[in-house]
Amino acid sequence: MANSAQAQKLVYLVTGGCGFLGEHVVRMLLQQEPRLRELRIFDLHLGPWVDELKTGPVQVTAIQGDVTQAHEVAAAMDGAHVVIHIAGLVDVFGRASPKTIHEVNVQGTQNVIEACVQTGTQFLVYTSSMEVVGPNIKGHPFYRGNEDTPYEAVHKHPYPRSKALAERLVLEANGRKVRGGLPLVTCALRPTGIYGEGHQIMRDFYHQGLRLGGRLFRAIPTSVEHGRVYVGNVAWMHVLVARELEQRAALMGGQVYFCYDRSPYKSYEDFNMEFLGPCGLRLVGARPLLPYWLLVLLATLNALLQWLLRPLLLYAPLLNPYTLAVANTTFTVSTNKAQRHFGYEPLFSWEDSRTRTIRWVQALESSAQ
Ligand SMILES: NC(=O)c1ccc[n+]([C@@H]2O[C@H](COP(=O)([O-])OP(=O)(O)OC[C@H]3O[C@@H](n4cnc5c(N)ncnc54)[C@H](O)[C@@H]3O)[C@@H](O)[C@H]2O)c1
Ligand SMILES: C[C@@H](CO)CCC[C@@H](C)[C@H]1CC[C@H]2[C@@H]3[C@H](O)C=C4C[C@@H](O)CC[C@]4(C)[C@H]3CC[C@]12C
């Protein structure tokens, strides 16, 4: 992909290009990939901001489509060199049914793979998740682990199960012959908890804090570390992987990479306070205010209420047995595999990532007034 004959010749397709991560990947590609001729943004819901991108030198094509519809995916992919498959149903709150999660995350990914084969698209980058590994339902800590750290991955929840199945499909597809006879080259990126501008759960915590008079209440011990990575660095990793996949196909094909940067290891709540604190919120309690058994009870009650109310309304609070288990289990990565395989270094320092995220939360504050 890197030779000069191909300068400004490449066609990229980004599925889920209008989501939280997808938008950052789209903008990063336009800034950092000089060989782009056309960028296709494929999403179920197209954002209004996409039109603003159409005035630059790269042809930006917005395609409203559904990854569960094989013909829509194949039509969008025709003539693309690289596909970055980000689209997914991110639901750990019970908003969507397990069947829908499977259809979007697993069948949708299968459709992307088949479309590669059918149309001759040779490079596929898949956005997987740390949840493909864990935390597992047994609450085993994964402390500063890397891609080779042994861990008992047990998936009961539909979301991690779907991501694990989809990741496997992508990795197994590496080497399949695509139209024209060349081998498909695939790899998967596994972000930990992504944060940054546009992060819906951060927005929810911020608004919850405002409703509670500027306070949030500690529920998780400070000793439980949760891996986090800045969205700009995750986007940068996607751009680099897509760029390097052809030149380093033998090394990178069929591989998985955790997404990492220099964000500090902290508990989920303490980490959020890095941004919410400077915006006026306070985390009350040096230790969890409620005993863990009571949180488990509340989470179970929420799950029961969700089930009882489902015929009438969608009750999907942040706290449920699964989110509590994830928040309460140490899961952090420490690896340099991406640096070794394709020269990745974070584009944004921790200070930049923090400042950018704080500015975004502050803008939420002013837009709410
Ligand atoms: N947010 C995180 O912390 C995190 C961490 C690890 C991995 N991931 C993965 O990153 C990806 C993006 O996550 P996100 O946080 O940006 O989520 P998001 O919900 O903001 O974005 C997902 C995008 O996919 C689109 N989409 C959903 N169903 C679709 C369908 N059937 N057809 C076409 N498009 C569809 C949505 O419209 C949305 O724009 C997901 O695959 C997710 O599993 C996210
Ligand atoms: C007990 C509550 C008191 O404040 C805190 C609940 C927090 C949870 C809602 C979140 C804690 C960890 C988050 C997940 C994690 O960051 C990684 C993820 C992987 C990604 O693929 C999808 C999102 C998520 C599952 C993320 C979701 C929200 C948490 C469970």
Side-chain angles (χ1 to χ4, degrees):
M1 273 190 293
N3 67 43
S4 59
Q6 281 189 315
Q8 288 217 285
K9 286 285 187 297
L10 297 180
V11 178
Y12 272 52
L13 178 116
V14 178
T15 72
C18 292
F20 165 47
L21 173 61
E23 178 175 350
H24 285 267
V25 170
V26 161
R27 292 185 187 278
M28 182 74 69
L29 279 169
L30 291 173
Q31 282 166 16
Q32 302 278 356
E33 185 42 82
R35 293 159 311 157
L36 256 194
R37 171 165 60 83
E38 182 187 351
L39 178 56
R40 298 183 189 159
I41 304 172
F42 182 95
D43 204 300
L44 203 51
H45 307 289
L46 294 174
W49 53 270
V50 168
D51 286 336
E52 295 157 22
L53 306 178
K54 291 185 176 164
T55 52
V58 175
Q59 182 188 337
V60 173
T61 312
I63 305 167
Q64 197 266 323
D66 184 342
V67 289
T68 67
Q69 303 303 311
H71 63 285
E72 293 184 12
V73 181
M77 223 135 99
D78 197 23
H81 299 96
V82 181
V83 56
I84 303 183
H85 177 40
I86 300 174
L89 200 44
V90 186
D91 181 19
V92 290
F93 306 111
R95 292 182 187 131
S97 70
K99 182 170 174 279
T100 309
I101 293 175
H102 184 91
E103 277 167 7
V104 176
N105 293 355
V106 184
Q107 189 55 51
T109 301
Q110 185 66 50
N111 290 343
V112 170
I113 294 167
E114 296 308 325
C116 285
V117 172
Q118 201 181 314
T119 64
T121 301
Q122 214 200 328
F123 302 100
L124 165 59
V125 180
Y126 174 61
T127 314
S128 181
S129 168
M130 75 180 216
E131 299 231 352
V132 161
V133 181
N136 62 24
I137 46 168
K138 298 180 177 176
H140 293 156
F142 185 88
Y143 182 75
R144 316 275 161 101
N146 63 34
E147 289 83 352
D148 299 317
T149 304
Y151 188 78
E152 191 187 343
V154 191
H155 304 298
K156 282 267 155 64
H157 193 278
Y159 172 73
R161 204 168 49 212
S162 71
K163 295 299 285 186
L165 283 171
E167 184 190 273
R168 203 165 68 214
L169 291 175
V170 168
L171 301 180
E172 284 175 359
N174 183 60
R176 265 184 82 179
K177 294 278 181 291
V178 302
R179 197 177 81 179
L182 291 168
L184 179 62
V185 187
T186 69
C187 80
L189 295 181
R190 293 173 174 169
T192 53
I194 308 174
Y195 70 93
E197 305 94 299
H199 186 213
Q200 183 57 45
I201 301 176
M202 186 82 76
R203 200 183 270 140
D204 292 345
F205 274 111
Y206 177 63
H207 288 131
Q208 191 180 78
L210 290 184
R211 282 196 300 275
L212 295 170
R215 288 167 304 173
L216 286 166
F217 298 95
R218 189 185 293 281
I220 304 298
T222 52
S223 57
V224 178
E225 286 183 355
H226 195 86
R228 303 294 286 270
V229 60
Y230 177 61
V231 66
N233 288 323
V234 180
W236 176 228
M237 264 184 97
H238 281 71
V239 172
L240 273 184
V241 168
R243 185 185 291 169
E244 297 299 324
L245 215 43
E246 183 178 35
Q247 296 302 316
R248 304 179 195 218
L251 177 68
M252 294 171 64
Q255 293 288 322
V256 296
Y257 301 93
F258 276 123
C259 295
Y260 58 90
D261 60 14
R262 302 204 174 89
S263 303
Y265 300 111
K266 288 189 171 219
S267 77
Y268 190 79
E269 291 166 329
D270 285 308
F271 191 84
N272 285 352
M273 289 315 290
E274 289 282 347
F275 322 105
L276 301 179
C279 297
L281 297 198
R282 196 161 62 82
L283 185 61
V284 179
R287 272 180 285 159
L289 294 186
L290 299 177
Y292 187 64
W293 64 263
L294 190 51
L295 277 177
V296 173
L297 193 71
L298 289 173
T300 312
L301 202 64
N302 275 343
L304 186 67
L305 275 175
Q306 178 172 78
W307 182 74
L308 287 173
L309 294 172
R310 198 175 284 284
L312 304 171
L313 56 95
L314 179 64
Y315 175 67
L318 284 178
L319 182 69
N320 65 43
Y322 181 75
T323 58
L324 179 59
V326 176
N328 203 50
T329 306
T330 286
F331 196 100
T332 50
V333 302
S334 174
T335 174
N336 62 2
K337 184 173 175 184
Q339 190 268 327
R340 285 186 283 112
H341 279 206
F342 53 93
Y344 164 76
E345 287 293 338
L347 193 59
F348 301 92
S349 66
W350 158 240
E351 290 72 26
D352 281 348
S353 311
R354 184 171 178 271
T355 306
R356 283 167 175 263
T357 308
I358 291 171
R359 284 210 195 108
W360 170 73
V361 180
Q362 283 168 340
L364 288 179
E365 186 178 15
S366 44
S367 65
Q369 280 164 5

